[in-house]
Amino acid sequence: MGDRVHGWRKLAGATWGSPTDPQFYGELDIDATELLAHVERLRARSDTRVTVTHLIGKAVAHGLREVPQFAVRLTGGRAVPRDSLDIFFIIAAGAQAELNGVKVEHVDRKSAIDVAKEVARRVEGIERGADTAFDRGKALLARLPRPVLRAALRGAAWLTSDLNLDLSRFGMPRQAFGAAMVTSVGMWGVARGFSPLASYYRVPLLVLVGAITDRPVVRDGAVTVRPMLTLTATVDHRYADGSHAARLADAVRRYCADPTAFEPLGNVAG
C-alpha cells in the first residue's frame, strides 16, 4: 500500500497541484577526471559509444536507490515504492534533431555499456521510424487541439503513472518517464542550464548534464586546473525535502568519484 505522505511533503501536495509550482533547483560541481577515465576504459573494451551522460544516468539511479524517498510514485496522498529504477534519457534524434526520449529500465542493475547500448538501439529505432508505444502516443497527442491535448495529457498521466496502468496498446505505456529524467545540454556547449518539470512527467527530478570545461579549483591548499562538470537538477518538492536532495547529491558525487566501483559484478572495466 505504501507509506502515507506526511510533513512538508503533505503540505506541498495540498498547496500545489501536479508540478507546475512545487519545484526547487540545485546544482552540483563534479570533478570529471574519473568519469572521463571510465568512459575511455569502457570505449576501449566495447564498440558502444559510452558517454558521460550515460554515466550520470547510472549515478542518478544509484542516488535513487540510496535515497528511497525519491524512488516512489505519488498516488492518492501516498508515496508508493517504484517497481524498478528506470531512467528516461531525453535525446535529440532525426535529421531535425527533434527532442525525443528513451526509457531504460533497471538502470541501477545494468552496466554502463548495457545502458549505452540500449539507448543507442532505441535511438536508431526512433530514427528509422520504428512503431513503438511511445511514438504511437506522441503521434496521437500531436493530432489533438490544444484544449483537448491538455486534458489528454493529464488523463494519460493519471492512468499510467498514478494508477500504474499499462495502456501500451493505446500508445500510453506504464510509467512512461521512469523514475527520473536525464538530459545533456553539454552537447550544445552549455555548461549550466535548468529545465522545468512538466506536470505529466510524474518524476521527482530532472537532471541536466553540462559541458565539461577546464576550471581552476583548490586541491590540498593549491590551485590547479581540473575538468569540471556542472549537474543541475529540478526537483519536485512533493516527493522529498532538501535534506533528501542533499543525500541524493552526495550519492551522485560518490558515484562520479569512482564509477568503476558501481559497475555490476563481472562488468568492471579493467
Side-chain angles (χ1 to χ4, degrees):
M1 292 292 294
D3 298 326
R4 183 169 292 279
V5 175
H6 57 84
W8 179 255
R9 281 170 286 161
K10 182 176 181 179
L11 291 176
T15 304
W16 295 292
S18 295
T20 54
D21 292 314
Q23 303 177 30
F24 64 95
Y25 303 88
E27 64 179 57
L28 182 65
D29 285 329
I30 298 287
D31 185 333
T33 301
E34 291 303 320
L35 289 173
L36 293 172
H38 194 50
V39 164
E40 291 303 314
R41 287 192 294 267
L42 295 176
R43 289 183 180 181
R45 64 193 294 260
S46 171
D47 58 359
T48 301
R49 187 175 181 274
V50 181
T51 70
V52 168
T53 299
H54 298 132
L55 297 187
I56 296 304
K58 286 277 298 171
V60 171
H62 169 67
L64 294 175
R65 186 170 60 184
E66 290 287 299
V67 189
Q69 289 83 0
F70 275 100
V72 299
R73 57 184 179 86
L74 301 180
T75 179
R78 293 181 179 274
V80 180
R82 289 186 180 272
D83 297 329
S84 60
L85 298 182
D86 310 335
I87 301 297
F88 188 89
F89 291 89
I90 302 174
I91 50 93
Q96 303 300 318
E98 181 182 355
L99 283 182
N100 211 310
V102 297
K103 184 179 78 170
V104 180
E105 298 181 352
H106 300 289
V107 169
D108 57 319
R109 302 180 188 175
K110 294 177 176 175
S111 71
I113 289 176
D114 288 338
V115 171
K117 283 183 177 178
E118 186 166 344
V119 172
R121 176 178 58 80
R122 298 280 301 281
V123 169
E124 182 182 353
I126 292 171
E127 293 180 338
R128 288 199 320 266
D131 186 25
T132 66
F134 194 75
D135 291 331
R136 289 197 299 272
K138 284 184 61 180
L140 173 63
L141 293 172
R143 292 194 293 268
L144 298 177
R146 181 174 295 181
V148 179
L149 175 60
R150 186 177 295 114
L153 288 171
R154 287 198 300 265
W158 177 67
L159 290 169
T160 62
S161 296
D162 298 8
L163 299 186
N164 205 34
L165 300 177
D166 186 6
L167 303 177
S168 296
R169 63 187 182 278
F170 303 114
M172 295 184 293
R174 177 189 286 121
Q175 305 297 331
F177 298 100
M181 304 173 75
V182 172
T183 189
S184 171
V185 294
M187 69 176 72
W188 313 118
V190 177
R192 180 184 287 103
F194 290 90
S195 180
L197 282 168
S199 62
Y200 55 85
Y201 290 163
R202 297 296 206 270
V203 298
L205 76 160
L206 167 59
V207 176
L208 273 68
V209 183
I212 296 175
T213 57
D214 289 337
R215 303 179 216 164
V217 296
V218 177
R219 292 289 184 271
D220 299 322
V223 177
T224 184
V225 175
R226 309 287 283 188
M228 298 298 294
L229 166 66
T230 297
L231 302 177
T232 61
T234 306
V235 183
D236 184 346
H237 212 329
R238 297 175 305 155
Y239 287 83
D241 301 328
S243 62
H244 301 124
R247 287 168 53 202
L248 187 140
D250 182 63
V252 169
R253 190 190 298 276
R254 283 187 280 109
Y255 175 96
C256 293
D258 188 10
T260 304
F262 297 93
E263 289 289 336
L265 192 62
N267 289 285
V268 177

